[in-house]
Amino acid sequence: MLDTKPLLIDTDFPEIRRETTHTLQVNLGYLCNLSCTHCHVNAGPTRTELMSKETIDEVLAYIDLHSIRTLDLTGGAPEMNPHFTYVVSEARKRGLNVIDRCNLTILQEPGYESMAEFLAEHQVSIVASLPCYAEQNVNEQRGKGVYQESIDALKKLNKLGYGKSDSLLLDLVYNPNGAFLPPNQQQLEQDYKTRLFDEHTIEFNQLLTITNMPISRFGGMLLAKGKYDDYMQLLKDNFSDSNLSSLMCKSLISIDWQGYVYDCDFNQMLEMPLLQATKPLAEKLEPSAQKTEPSAKIATIASDKTRTHLRELLNADIQGQSIVIGEHCYGCTAGQGSSCGGALA
Ligand code: SF4
Ligand code: SF4
C-alpha cells in the first residue's frame, strides 16, 4: 500500500496546544471482523495485535490519578479484545462514560450474541458506523451483506432501548464514500432518521459526520488513483479557523494497543507520538504562566526512544504542551470540521 506519511510531515498548519484532558481514547487492537476500504487503522480478521490485561490495568491506573470523564474504546472491533468486558465494567464502576465504537456486525457474529445485552446493562454509549442509509453504498465500502447485518443489529439495539432516549445512546457515523467532504451534519441526520425509520422503523440519537483523513488505507487509495493533491487542496480550500478551538486533540489522549500515547488516533496511525511530558502532576500552572515550548510544526517520527508510554504520564501534567501536527490536520478543520464526535461547527 502507498504511504502518504512522507507528504504529511512538513506542514503550515497552525500551532495548537493541549488543554485539560478529559477523554482517553483507547485502541484495544486491530482485530476486526470487517476490512473496510476507508479504515484508517487497516484493521481486519487476520490482525493479531490486541491490548493486554496489564496495559488495560495501566489505563485504569491513569484514570484513577487524573480527571478523566470518558473512556472511548476503539479498534478494530473493540469487542473482540478478550478483556473488553473487564475494562468496560471497571470504567463504569469508576463512574466514567464509556463509548464503544461498534461496527454493528460484530453484534451478529457467533460468540458475541450476548454483547448487546452486556452493553445495555452497563449503559455503554454506542457509536456505530453506518456510512450511508443506502444498501449499495454500505456494501461497497464495508463488504457484501454488511448493510443487512447492520440493520439487524440496529433493530436488536432498539429493542434493548438504545436510540430511544438519552439513557442508552446510539449514535451513527457517516463518512464519505470517496474523496469529498461530508455534507451538512444536521441535514444528513434528518435524511438518515427519515429513511431508517420509514424503511426499517430504526431509531437513533445523533448522526456524526466524519471527514476521511488522507492517511492509511484511504491515503494509499488517493495516491494510487492520483487524487492525493486534489484532496489535500480540497481540505485546505475549506479550512475554517473557527474549528481550531474545538479540535478533539486538545482534550483527548489516544492510546495504542501497547500503551503508547498520541495526541489523536490519526497521529497514532502515522506513528507521530505525543511530545515527552515536561511537568509533574502536582505542578499545575495557571494557563497564563505556562511555559512556552518550541512549536511542533515538524512532526516527530516515532522510534522506541521517542515514544511515550502511558505509564510515564501517570504522574505528569501535559496541559499546555504543543500538539504534534501534520498536513492531515487539515482534515479536522475543513468545512464543518471533523472529530471522533462528528462535526465541530
Ligand atoms: S469496522 Fe471499523 S475498524 Fe473494522 S475494518 Fe471497518 S473501519 Fe476498520
Ligand atoms: S489530526 Fe486532527 S485531532 Fe489529530 S492532531 Fe491533527 S488536528 Fe488534532
Side-chain angles (χ1 to χ4, degrees):
M1 187 178 73
L2 295 166
D3 183 9
T4 53
K5 182 173 175 181
L7 304 169
L8 300 171
I9 288 178
D10 195 3
T11 185
D12 58 357
F13 192 81
E15 183 186 14
I16 44 177
R17 285 179 181 271
R18 300 194 60 89
E19 296 172 0
T20 308
T21 305
H22 56 66
T23 299
L24 294 189
Q25 190 172 68
V26 179
N27 191 314
L28 291 180
Y30 303 148
L31 180 62
C32 189
N33 56 320
L34 301 179
S35 337
C36 309
T37 51
H38 67 276
C39 182
H40 70 270
V41 296
N42 296 331
T46 59
R47 300 297 295 260
T48 54
E49 302 89 339
L50 286 169
M51 183 175 275
S52 66
K53 168 124 181 333
E54 190 188 10
T55 305
I56 286 174
D57 282 334
E58 286 170 340
V59 170
L60 295 169
Y62 187 92
I63 288 168
D64 289 338
L65 286 168
H66 296 259
S67 318
I68 302 301
R69 300 201 298 259
T70 302
L71 180 67
D72 184 345
L73 299 171
T74 74
E79 306 86 353
M80 293 178 86
N81 183 300
H83 311 297
F84 176 78
T85 54
Y86 168 71
V87 67
V88 169
S89 310
E90 289 299 316
R92 291 295 295 143
K93 268 188 222 162
R94 288 161 168 80
L96 267 71
N97 302 317
V98 177
I99 299 172
D100 175 28
R101 293 197 178 259
C102 177
N103 69 28
L104 294 174
T105 63
I106 190 67
L107 303 178
Q108 306 292 95
E109 289 281 330
Y112 297 90
E113 294 89 347
S114 58
M115 184 55 74
E117 283 82 2
F118 170 83
L119 295 170
E121 196 185 314
H122 289 80
Q123 292 195 298
V124 175
S125 301
I126 296 181
V127 175
S129 318
L130 191 70
C132 188
Y133 45 68
E135 183 163 6
Q136 191 186 346
N137 286 351
V138 174
N139 287 348
E140 264 176 29
Q141 197 175 119
R142 318 210 88 193
K144 204 171 163 207
V146 167
Y147 180 80
Q148 194 51 52
E149 276 184 53
S150 303
I151 294 296
D152 293 344
L154 287 169
K155 286 184 175 171
K156 189 176 188 174
L157 291 171
N158 275 173
K159 253 192 206 153
L160 288 165
Y162 270 105
K164 292 170 180 278
S165 71
D166 286 346
S167 59
L168 287 175
L169 290 176
L170 172 59
D171 292 339
L172 298 184
V173 174
Y174 161 90
N175 58 282
N177 191 15
F180 53 92
L181 294 180
N184 178 280
Q185 182 170 277
Q186 275 129 349
Q187 279 168 12
L188 192 63
E189 178 179 292
Q190 271 319 309
D191 293 348
Y192 261 67
K193 287 203 163 174
T194 306
R195 287 285 292 266
L196 288 177
F197 191 80
D198 289 354
E199 293 174 20
H200 306 285
T201 57
I202 284 172
E203 293 172 81
F204 66 95
N205 295 92
Q206 266 190 291
L207 181 75
L208 315 176
T209 56
I210 298 188
T211 301
N212 286 326
M213 297 300 268
I215 65 171
S216 299
R217 208 171 272 166
F218 183 73
M221 182 280 289
L222 291 175
L223 284 177
K225 293 190 172 174
K227 291 183 175 175
Y228 173 80
D229 288 340
D230 287 349
Y231 190 64
M232 277 311 309
Q233 199 55 52
L234 177 73
L235 297 181
K236 289 188 173 193
D237 287 347
N238 286 280
F239 173 77
S240 168
D241 62 4
S242 62
N243 291 322
L244 288 172
S245 60
S246 36
L247 290 170
M248 65 175 174
C249 47
K250 294 191 164 186
S251 58
L252 165 155
I253 301 176
S254 166
I255 305 168
D256 74 12
W257 68 279
Q258 292 175 293
Y260 290 102
V261 289
Y262 305 82
D263 289 301
C264 73
D265 202 25
F266 308 120
N267 284 7
Q268 181 185 141
M269 292 325 301
L270 289 162
E271 298 185 344
M272 293 164 55
L274 188 134
L275 296 179
Q276 303 271 327
T278 52
K279 269 186 295 174
L281 190 55
E283 194 189 317
K284 281 241 173 197
L285 301 178
E286 290 302 313
S288 59
Q290 282 168 9
K291 184 166 66 175
T292 305
E293 295 164 24
S295 157
K297 274 192 183 254
I298 305 295
T300 322
I301 298 182
S303 73
D304 279 344
K305 284 187 197 127
T306 58
R307 284 194 300 180
T308 301
H309 197 277
L310 185 66
R311 74 176 78 94
E312 296 168 53
L313 292 188
L314 283 180
N315 294 305
D317 177 13
I318 54 173
Q319 188 173 333
Q321 277 190 193
S322 284
I323 293 169
V324 175
I325 52 176
E327 287 285 87
H328 58 294
C329 294
Y330 282 104
C332 295
T333 49
Q336 284 191 107
S338 181
S339 72
C340 290
L344 301 174

